[in-house]
């Protein structure tokens, strides 16, 4: 019993000593005072807080700081920011724009409950474009993707290995891109056709896969050999196929169409395949091309159902006049070449397929809205006549009377009362360049900016893209066969491939490096499109100010000399005198219009400005660019940083 009493007395003494110790630690805590936090520099995602803690003498403070949240009376179990000292201050970052936050300052004491100040609150404003621009980070993906060009790296490609792209915006908010099979090192070979990718921001693209299996639809061979039989030719047992230039469009809610082209590259007379260096040339032209149709209800699934034949290449020379005297004979057998389709639903609800490449020009064919097939019956594809070419379509653009014209890749859109027809001029390796004409009617007549008819022999203007090179880069060539699309909010975009020039970095195959390009379009005062000189990078379009114009710019002119890259010169814009003090427009004066974001020069040119990425800078950053057109030239410029 004495033993138990002894233990009891020792325990009581221990508790008493502990209680005395606690009182000693915070003997003055009753005098502790915390002021209500003050807030300053409230931004869309940040705020600066301050408060004062007094009466801390003899107080054992463990932590001090601010607790905050979107609900009233935040405590230390919400988000906190810890600081030191009696005059405490901190800057909170990562806040949500247009959100009310509640704040209390706090201290935690040894063995006591936390102490809090009175509560205050503030509301973050909306994020401004200037805020976004200050925080902007440019894309970092490389243009020379040869080190990861192989099929096994396809999920890292982003916009690598893109050629002849078409882009549509779907109901799920994604932009979907589809393309020709061409790729560096034939990476797509054996892995299906008409490959797809998608993006939310037009900068970062996710590879989805092929939309068509490696084996082509059976109807193509069947249709080909049925025509050959009627022409008195032997069937081709194993046709050689080329897969080219699809176009994808939303038709209605939950319904999307893709028109694609498949070319048969065997010779007509013997059916032998076309091989390198014309080894099988048999004195005839190669076989016809076919345009087919696929549909899907969900582009994200990347499952497309083939709907079969739409149209094929057609001739007006009969069943037997398919001979070609030599490989330098350019009087093609086919009048209309069934590749490079584009598709539009007109303002009055008509559906039209626009297609054609080289040969005799570009055709407009009306199709049935219900099934996407020709509205009227097609005649025999070796004996077409009349303005509508026996149902194969009316020619709406041609470059003279030649049967082998350097014009292809049509694209058509509707904007503000006009149908705009975009065309690719030249061969695709280097000189590819983009022209545009317009009409009040989908089937013409189309004219260019100078009133020249698209059915004449004159070149069309303006030039929208052409080979070019800014300093500190290899530049780009082969920039055409475009897709034109909008975001539904009035912003328009141009997409195509860009190729590297030949022998870049000692790579003899560098011209086969093809990168998908997306570029912004501005429209001039007369409704003609201007494609921006730098690729789109989702740069926030904070209003450009006059002070930002001053300084050095790279300036170049796109002309009909499209066989080589256009290079830049330096122009200097002086703010004090409003003169251009160096370059081709030296001594010209300039004025800035903040409302239209344009510069007007006394040289008679209006420059349309936009913020874009300086892709040639290291590291990349945002800059200001311009595009303009005058006197059959297009001017591109970029502000130097």
């Amino acid at each position: 019993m004495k033993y138990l009493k002894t233990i009891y007395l020792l325990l009581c003494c221990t508790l008493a000593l502990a209680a005395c110790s606690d009182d000693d630690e915070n003997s003055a805590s009753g005098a502790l005072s915390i002021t209500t936090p003050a807030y300053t520099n409230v931004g869309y995602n940040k705020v600066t807080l301050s408060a004062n803690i007094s009466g801390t003498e003899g107080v054992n403070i463990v932590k001090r700081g601010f607790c905050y949240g979107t609900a009233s009376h935040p405590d230390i179990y919400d988000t906190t920011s810890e600081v030191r000292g009696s005059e405490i201050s901190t800057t909170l970052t990562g806040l949500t724009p247009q959100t009310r936050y509640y704040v209390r300052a706090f201290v935690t004491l040894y063995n006591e409950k936390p102490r809090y100040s009175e509560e205050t609150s503030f509301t973050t404003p909306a994020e401004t474009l200037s805020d976004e621009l200050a925080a902007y980070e440019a894309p970092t993906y490389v243009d020379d993707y040869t080190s990861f060009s192989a099929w096994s790296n396809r999920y890292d490609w982003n916009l690598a290995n893109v050629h002849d792209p078409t882009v549509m915006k779907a109901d799920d908010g994604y932009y979907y891109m589809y393309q020709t099979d061409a790729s560096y090192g034939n990476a797509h070979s054996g892995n299906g056709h008409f490959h797809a990718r998608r993006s939310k921001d037009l900068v970062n693209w996710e590879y989805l896969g092929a939309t068509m299996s490696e084996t082509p639809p059976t109807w193509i061979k069947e249709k080909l050999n049925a025509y050959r039989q009627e022409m008195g030719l032997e069937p081709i047992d194993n046709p050689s196929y080329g897969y080219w230039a699809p176009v994808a469009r939303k038709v209605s809610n939950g319904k999307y169409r893709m028109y694609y082209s498949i070319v048969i590259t065997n010779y007509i007379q013997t059916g032998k395949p076309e091989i390198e260096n014309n080894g099988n040339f048999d004195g005839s032209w190669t076989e016809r091309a076919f345009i087919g149709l696929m549909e899907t209800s969900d582009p994200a699934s990347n499952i497309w159902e083939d709907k079969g034949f739409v149209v094929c290449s057609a001739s007006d020379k009969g069943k037997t006049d398919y001979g070609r005297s030599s490989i330098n004979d350019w009087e093609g057998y086919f009048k209309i070449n069934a590749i490079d389709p584009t598709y539009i639903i007109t303002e009055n609800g008509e559906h039209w397929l626009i297609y054609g490449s080289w040969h005799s020009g570009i055709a407009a064919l009306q199709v049935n809205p219900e099934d996407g097939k020709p509205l009227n019956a097609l005649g025999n594809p070796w004996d077409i006549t009349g303005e509508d070419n026996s149902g194969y379509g009316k020619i709406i653009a041609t470059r003279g009377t030649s049967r082998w014209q350097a014009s292809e890749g049509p694209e058509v859109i509707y904007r503000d009362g006009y149908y705009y027809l975009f065309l690719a001029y030249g061969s695709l390796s280097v000189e590819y360049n983009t022209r545009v004409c317009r009409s009040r009617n989908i089937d013409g007549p189309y004219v260019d900016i100078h009133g020249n008819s698209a059915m004449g022999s004159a070149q069309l203007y303006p030039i929208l893209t052409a080979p070019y090179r800014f300093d500190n880069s290899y530049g780009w060539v082969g920039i055409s066969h475009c897709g034109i699309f909008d975001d539904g909010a009035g912003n328009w975009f141009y997409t195509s491939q860009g190729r590297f020039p030949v022998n870049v970095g000692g790579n003899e195959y560098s011209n086969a490096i093809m990168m998908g390009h997306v570029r912004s379009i501005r429209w001039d005062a007369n409704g003609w499109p201007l494609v921006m000189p730098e690729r789109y990078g989702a740069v926030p379009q904070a209003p450009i100010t006059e002070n930002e114009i001053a300084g050095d710019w790279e300036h170049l002119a796109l002309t009909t000399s499209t066989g080589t890259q256009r290079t830049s010169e330096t122009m200097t814009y002086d703010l004090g005198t409003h003169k251009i003090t160096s370059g081709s427009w030296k001594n010209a004066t300039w004025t800035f219009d903040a409302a239209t974001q344009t510069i007007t020069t006394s040289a008679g040119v209006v420059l349309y400005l936009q913020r874009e990425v300086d892709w040639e800078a290291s590291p990349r950053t945002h800059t200001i660019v311009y595009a303009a057109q005058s006197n059959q030239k297009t001017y591109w410029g970029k502000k130097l940083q």
Side-chain angles (χ1 to χ4, degrees), residues 467-523:
Y468 75 99
R469 180 174 63 82
F470 283 127
D471 289 346
N472 303 314
S473 74
Y474 300 119
W476 297 99
V477 299
I479 315 162
S480 196
H481 197 138
C482 67
I484 308 293
F485 62 97
D486 72 319
D487 63 359
N491 300 303
W492 288 86
F493 300 91
Y494 170 106
T495 184
S496 74
Q497 73 283 341
R499 289 172 172 256
F500 271 16
V502 296
N503 294 320
V504 165
N507 180 357
E508 61 180 315
Y509 304 110
S510 62
N511 189 230
I513 297 172
M514 52 198 80
M515 177 67 75
H517 288 192
V518 177
R519 298 168 185 264
S520 292
I521 294 175
R522 284 202 64 184
W523 301 82

Side-chain angles (χ1 to χ4, degrees), residues 183-251:
S183 54
Y184 183 79
N186 295 318
H188 292 139
S189 181
N191 297 296
H193 310 289
F194 308 120
H195 295 258
R197 58 197 80 196
R198 69 177 183 175
S199 173
K200 280 281 191 178
D201 60 8
L202 299 176
V203 178
N204 302 290
W205 293 83
E206 171 193 4
Y207 177 78
L208 297 179
T211 61
M212 179 182 286
S213 68
E214 183 64 17
T215 303
T218 57
W219 64 260
I220 299 174
K221 179 180 175 181
E222 292 168 358
K223 201 79 174 173
L224 168 70
N225 284 327
Y227 288 148
R228 288 182 64 83
Q229 183 177 12
E230 291 195 56
M231 293 172 67
L233 298 166
E234 293 295 317
I236 299 175
D237 293 330
N238 295 297
S240 297
Y241 300 97
Y243 301 81
W244 290 96
V247 62
R249 295 284 190 266
K250 177 183 174 181
V251 180

Side-chain angles (χ1 to χ4, degrees), residues 408-435:
E408 64 178 5
E411 171 68 306
V412 65
I413 64 163
Y414 179 83
R415 180 184 182 273
D416 290 352
Y418 286 98
Y419 294 93
Y420 289 83
L421 178 63
F422 299 79
L423 298 169
Y425 273 18
S427 58
L428 59 82
S429 59
V430 175
E431 65 176 322
Y432 234 18
N433 60 100
T434 308
R435 311 297 178 101

Side-chain angles (χ1 to χ4, degrees), residues 60 248 371 561:
N60 186 3
D371 62 8
S561 299

Side-chain angles (χ1 to χ4, degrees), residues 44-125:
Y44 73 95
N45 67 346
K46 64 181 181 178
V47 68
T48 298
L49 302 173
S50 60
N52 185 269
I53 303 172
S54 60
T56 60
E57 186 175 351
V59 178
N60 186 3
I61 296 177
V62 178
K63 294 179 181 179
R64 69 194 79 194
F66 301 91
C67 49
Y68 61 99
T70 56
S72 185
H73 293 90
D75 57 31
I76 61 171
Y77 301 105
D78 292 306
T79 307
T80 62
S81 176
E82 296 180 22
V83 292
R84 294 179 180 273
S86 58
E87 294 183 358
I88 60 175
S89 178
T90 190
T91 297
L92 306 181
T93 59
L95 304 181
T96 302
Q98 294 182 285
T99 301
R100 186 175 185 180
Y101 285 92
Y102 298 87
V103 182
R104 293 196 292 178
F106 74 89
V107 296
T108 59
L109 306 174
Y110 181 79
N111 210 32
E112 286 192 29
K113 292 181 179 179
R115 303 286 184 89
Y116 296 98
S117 70
E118 293 295 319
E119 179 181 84
T120 190
S121 66
F122 63 90
T123 300
T124 53

